[in-house]
Amino acid sequence: MTRSAAPLVLEPGQRELLESLAKSRTVEHRLVQRAQVLLRAADGMSNADNAVLAGVTRVTVRAWRSEFAERGLADLGRVAPGRGRRASIPQ
């Protein structure tokens, strides 16, 4: 087992919202995945173990943690401009 990062600190109410997102069957998969990663980080799981469970890299887990530490739940599922799949059907 690898050395764990410091547990992510959640404000009151944030855990409940992340838990509901993590269990949701209707929101986008990327939001569910990110909520699960953040909850495991708050429980003290190492970034490496968290990345394996989520199927992403440790760099991604660290990026999501730092993004959450900076902005909290604001823009949680926002995709940065220029990222993501391009439209296959023109406007």
Side-chain angles (χ1 to χ4, degrees):
M1 187 161 184
T2 59
R3 187 171 71 79
S4 296
L8 191 65
V9 178
L10 298 177
E11 298 290 323
Q14 288 180 328
R15 177 172 284 279
E16 290 81 17
L17 181 60
L18 287 173
E19 285 174 348
S20 69
L21 284 172
K23 294 175 188 173
S24 178
R25 295 169 103 37
T26 58
V27 298
E28 298 169 336
H29 174 70
R30 63 189 169 95
L31 282 177
V32 172
Q33 186 179 36
R34 189 175 290 205
Q36 290 171 345
V37 166
L38 293 173
L39 285 170
R40 287 191 294 260
D43 291 339
M45 181 178 280
S46 72
N47 291 339
D49 293 340
N50 206 344
V52 169
L53 281 176
V56 297
T57 65
R58 285 183 303 179
V59 174
T60 300
V61 172
R62 283 195 306 262
W64 289 350
R65 284 176 60 115
S66 65
E67 223 175 87
F68 181 80
E70 286 176 21
R71 294 195 305 257
L73 292 174
D75 300 330
L76 182 65
R78 184 180 66 81
V79 177
R83 305 297 262 163
R85 189 175 197 168
R86 304 292 181 259
S88 60
I89 301 173
Q91 294 277 351

